[in-house]
């Protein structure tokens, strides 16, 4: 049976982000018009994917690493664009 390594830092990081994600998802359903709650979910996904990207970088698997990095950057750019629209354009 494969060793799960539940005491590794990456696993603890993923569990911590999962614990943070549950109240954010509930808050997103309760307050659907709140832009900050709505935009925190893609950022949480980006932070979750950072751990996978770091693991692939350490394993020298370059295609998955670059795919994870691209998704992380696209999420961050999308959030920054949406925040710019909400805060500066529609005042």
């Amino acid at each position: 049976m494969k060793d799960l390594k539940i005491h590794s830092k990456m696993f603890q990081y993923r569990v911590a982000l999962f614990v943070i994600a549950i109240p954010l998802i509930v808050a997103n359903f309760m307050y659907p018009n709140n832009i900050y709650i709505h935009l925190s979910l893609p950022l949480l996904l980006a932070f979750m994917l950072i751990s996978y990207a770091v693991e692939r970088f350490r394993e020298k698997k370059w295609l998955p690493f670059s795919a994870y990095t691209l998704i992380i950057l696209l999420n961050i750019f999308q959030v920054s664009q949406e925040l710019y629209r909400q805060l500066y354009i529609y005042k």
Side-chain angles (χ1 to χ4, degrees), residues 16 41 45:
L41 292 175
L45 175 66

Side-chain angles (χ1 to χ4, degrees), residues 78-91:
Q78 181 225 356
V79 167
S80 61
Q81 178 185 17
E82 196 66 32
L83 271 177
Y84 178 77
R85 283 185 192 157
Q86 293 295 325
L87 296 178
Y88 297 109
I89 295 178
Y90 298 122
K91 265 191 162 177

Side-chain angles (χ1 to χ4, degrees), residues 5-60:
K5 297 182 186 177
I6 61 172
H7 298 293
S8 71
K9 297 279 185 195
M10 291 296 180
F11 183 79
Q12 292 171 356
Y13 176 74
R14 289 179 194 144
V15 169
L17 286 178
F18 182 72
V19 168
I20 293 170
I22 293 173
L24 278 176
I25 292 171
V26 171
N28 193 23
F29 284 123
M30 290 175 61
Y31 306 106
N33 295 330
N34 190 335
I35 189 70
Y36 301 109
I37 295 173
H38 180 69
L39 291 178
S40 63
L41 292 175
L43 281 180
L44 192 68
L45 175 66
F47 282 121
M48 184 78 74
L49 288 177
I50 286 173
S51 65
Y52 290 108
V54 168
E55 280 185 355
R56 296 308 173 258
F57 181 74
R58 287 181 182 163
E59 295 171 358
K60 297 189 185 329

Side-chain angles (χ1 to χ4, degrees), residues 61-87:
K61 294 183 179 178
W62 302 114
L63 184 62
F65 167 71
S66 41
Y68 285 132
T69 307
L70 178 67
I71 292 171
I72 291 166
L73 289 175
L74 288 176
N75 276 336
I76 292 172
F77 289 151
Q78 181 225 356
V79 167
S80 61
Q81 178 185 17
E82 196 66 32
L83 271 177
Y84 178 77
R85 283 185 192 157
Q86 293 295 325
L87 296 178

